[in-house]
Amino acid sequence: MSTTEKKRGFWSEMIYNNPVFGLYLGICSTLAITTTLNNAIGMGVAVIAVLTLSNIVISLIAPLTPDEIHIPVYIVVIATLVTVVGMLMQAYTPELYSTLGTFIDLIVVNCIILGRAEAYASSHNVAESARDGLMMGLSYTFSLIAMSLIRQLLGTGVLEFSNPMNNQLIFSVRLIPESFVIPVFTTQTGAFLTFAILAAAISAIKNNDAKKAADAAKARADKEKAAAAKAVKPAKEAA
Amino acid sequence: MKILFAILIAGSLLGLNVWLYKANKNTPVPEGCENLKPDCHGCGITDCSLRRTEEIREDTK
Amino acid sequence: MNLLTLFLSALLINNVILSKFIGMCPFMGVSTKLSSAIGMGVAVIFVIFGASVLSWALYYYALVPLGLEYMKLICFILLIAAFVQFVEMFIKKNSPALYKSLGIYLPLITTNCAVLYVALDNITQKYNLIETMVNSIAVSAGFMLVLVIFATIRERLAASDVPEAWKGNPIAFVVAAIMAIAFSAFAGLV
């Protein structure tokens, strides 16, 4: 991570290094399971667990792994972790496990996990890799929550969250009257549309920042030019 | 006993993978295909062996 | 008749991309040119078919008799990775022409979630060998169908004037949303 990236705050790192809307990693599960807030948070926590643990394990074994076979070795590590996390979810949060279904198993081929393993964990120490896994997992979870908030709110008008252990409702508020909801947001079409809007928003923020930086650079150059011209003018008048 | 079989199966599959990855790497690419790259702009994995970092920056800018 | 129903529902109604959102990475990544979309599509059909049959055999002839069903995730992903490597090596050795059109997409397929999804789905749905074959061909053909349609649209899209922030992937997702509406009309087919 370069120093300029370190200077940015937590939220701007979430936007700039957002794995989902910025780098387009792990789109499958983002589109598929964000119909409710419960699913989004459950999936997010599962990915955080797998990503942090896989980053830790891979940063430990990377120096011992021959380069040409590193992919199958990483795949075994990740698949083992996903199996463990899946078994734990099946035991403690059975309802959530059955709604998320194959998408828990498909964490194995989620590009974020293998991508971070190759790009970061294989060349950094344990502490840095764990931090990176946690940060990436968190920004993935935030993307899921953003998607599910929009889709659940516009699609059903109700925001609710229940304890995944025993299915007790923790809160449930109706923010939009039933006759004004847009059910299309709970369907596949809504998933694609919400994703498109959020991805465009992220890219608009980035474009805007790039433009601001360019404008500031231009203004500085203009100022310098004007100052130089001013310095020339009095000299001319004196002459 | 069961756990032995589990280790045996996973181990043999991993061995198969190691062998195939090595063999595949040692097999030369056919003539005329050395510089062929799939035209993929899907994800932003900066370490993808198929793409260069600069190229990805262009795409996801 | 049952097999035909299975085929049509996996191909159109439960389309792997537009209804299950699986295989989004190559759907977005390899759809900017029609020729690459076709190459990728054919490679995916071949790998999904081979990997599904092999996984099915491994599950019912090795894992079930030994009571090791929980190993299926690890075994399937390793089997898929090995199969992809084997196919790539085989094509490299035997057919440069095929390598040119299909082989270069094979490295992208190991981590394609569609392959693992079909292998796991055949087990969860308790399909027999014939149904497994039909299902895997239908799912992968559905993948190729949507990929090719999408690529033709994107080739036109590249020439159109899109607002700055929507350029590239965001507008492609809007196109996908409209395609999903079109495909939802197949729901009453079977």
Side-chain angles (χ1 to χ4, degrees):
Chain A
M1 193 174 283
S2 69
T3 44
T4 50
E5 276 171 35
K6 255 181 197 159
K7 268 185 217 153
R8 289 198 200 115
F10 179 76
W11 286 108
S12 85
E13 195 174 324
M14 291 270 150
I15 288 179
Y16 269 81
N17 284 337
N18 190 297
V20 180
F21 301 114
L23 301 174
Y24 301 98
L25 301 176
I27 319 175
C28 305
S29 47
T30 310
L31 289 167
I33 53 94
T34 51
T35 43
T36 65
L37 194 57
N38 262 29
N39 290 354
I41 292 176
M43 185 74 185
V45 171
V47 168
I48 292 178
V50 173
L51 187 52
T52 313
L53 289 173
S54 81
N55 264 8
I56 290 174
V57 174
I58 284 167
S59 74
L60 285 173
I61 63 165
L64 308 173
T65 320
D67 190 43
E68 51 194 354
I69 57 152
H70 70 276
I71 291 184
V73 173
Y74 293 178
I75 286 178
V76 173
V77 171
I78 295 168
T80 312
L81 289 169
V82 172
T83 309
V84 170
V85 168
M87 282 173 169
L88 286 175
M89 287 183 76
Q90 208 169 3
Y92 292 101
T93 61
E95 293 260 326
L96 188 65
Y97 183 80
S98 64
T99 30
L100 294 177
T102 37
F103 283 95
I104 292 292
D105 290 340
L106 291 178
I107 295 178
V108 177
V109 279
N110 188 324
C111 319
I112 298 179
I113 318 269
L114 199 59
R116 288 325 285 176
E118 287 210 45
Y120 199 91
S122 59
S123 56
H124 288 76
N125 68 33
V126 180
E128 282 172 337
S129 303
R131 182 193 169 273
D132 179 76
L134 200 63
M135 283 302 291
M136 275 287 156
L138 274 177
S139 52
Y140 175 78
T141 310
F142 278 119
S143 318
L144 289 187
I145 292 175
M147 282 275 290
S148 65
L149 278 181
I150 296 175
R151 288 183 66 192
Q152 197 178 12
L153 191 59
L154 293 180
T156 64
V158 184
L159 274 190
E160 58 184 16
F161 183 69
S162 53
N163 185 345
M165 299 275 190
N166 53 15
N167 283 323
Q168 255 167 7
L169 217 56
I170 292 175
F171 69 85
S172 168
V173 260
R174 177 168 280 287
L175 295 172
I176 301 176
E178 207 161 341
S179 44
F180 290 97
V181 298
I182 315 167
V184 79
F185 275 93
T186 57
T187 66
Q188 282 86 355
T189 314
F192 282 119
L193 271 185
T194 316
F195 192 97
I197 293 165
L198 287 172
I202 296 272
S203 111
I205 292 174
K206 283 185 182 173
N207 285 348
N208 195 23
D209 282 3
K211 210 178 141 209
K212 256 189 207 158
D215 281 355
K218 207 180 156 219
R220 216 178 305 127
D222 282 353
K223 223 180 189 178
E224 273 165 20
K225 230 188 229 166
K230 236 183 209 169
V232 173
K233 233 186 205 171
K236 261 187 192 166
E237 273 165 15
Chain B
M1 201 57 213
K2 245 168 134 186
I3 201 97
L4 258 173
F5 275 116
I7 294 170
L8 194 72
I9 291 179
S12 56
L13 276 172
L14 186 62
L16 183 71
N17 260 282
V18 169
W19 175 60
L20 282 171
Y21 265 83
K22 282 195 170 159
N24 188 19
K25 209 150 202 183
N26 294 334
T27 310
V29 173
E31 274 174 54
C33 302
E34 286 86 0
N35 295 316
L36 277 182
K37 287 276 150 79
D39 184 28
C40 180
H41 308 273
C43 61
I45 296 180
T46 41
D47 205 43
C48 176
S49 56
L50 301 162
R51 304 176 60 198
R52 296 272 72 81
T53 315
E54 281 71 37
E55 207 184 305
I56 290 166
R57 290 225 178 93
E58 281 294 297
D59 277 357
T60 51
K61 205 168 48 176
Chain C
M1 194 57 219
N2 188 25
L3 287 180
L4 186 67
T5 315
L6 177 68
F7 185 82
L8 284 178
S9 80
L11 178 73
L12 298 171
I13 301 162
N14 295 319
N15 186 281
V16 67
I17 294 176
L18 295 176
S19 141
K20 304 264 192 231
F21 305 111
I22 284 162
M24 289 304 298
C25 297
F27 178 62
M28 284 294 148
V30 203
S31 56
T32 40
K33 261 198 269 155
L34 184 58
S35 55
S36 356
I38 292 173
M40 182 71 181
V42 176
V44 164
I45 291 183
F46 184 69
V47 170
I48 286 188
F49 182 75
S52 301
V53 172
L54 285 178
S55 314
W56 188 90
L58 179 74
Y59 187 76
Y60 285 109
Y61 290 109
L63 297 185
V64 172
L66 295 171
L68 297 171
E69 286 89 346
Y70 64 91
M71 293 273 294
K72 68 173 191 282
L73 196 57
I74 302 171
C75 290
F76 286 7
I77 189 76
L78 281 174
L79 199 60
I80 292 168
F83 183 67
V84 171
Q85 292 300 317
F86 176 74
V87 173
E88 192 183 349
M89 193 168 71
F90 187 81
I91 292 182
K92 264 187 199 168
K93 272 190 180 148
N94 294 305
S95 168
L98 208 57
Y99 183 77
K100 234 178 230 174
S101 51
L102 303 182
I104 50 169
Y105 299 104
L106 286 170
L108 297 176
I109 295 180
T110 308
T111 51
N112 181 343
C113 27
V115 185
L116 184 62
Y117 166 76
V118 179
L120 291 170
D121 195 42
N122 290 327
I123 303 299
T124 18
Q125 306 285 344
K126 300 195 169 64
Y127 288 145
N128 62 30
L129 185 58
I130 304 289
E131 286 167 335
T132 295
M133 287 172 163
V134 171
N135 186 49
S136 46
I137 288 187
V139 170
S140 48
F143 177 85
M144 182 173 171
L145 176 73
V146 173
L147 187 66
V148 168
I149 298 176
F150 191 59
T152 56
I153 299 175
R154 278 189 91 172
E155 281 193 340
R156 300 293 290 272
L157 207 59
S160 55
D161 189 19
V162 176
E164 190 60 35
W166 292 79
K167 270 184 186 150
N169 283 342
I171 193 74
F173 276 99
V174 177
V175 172
I178 296 167
M179 282 176 76
I181 300 179
F183 268 71
S184 68
F186 286 120
L189 195 64
V190 178

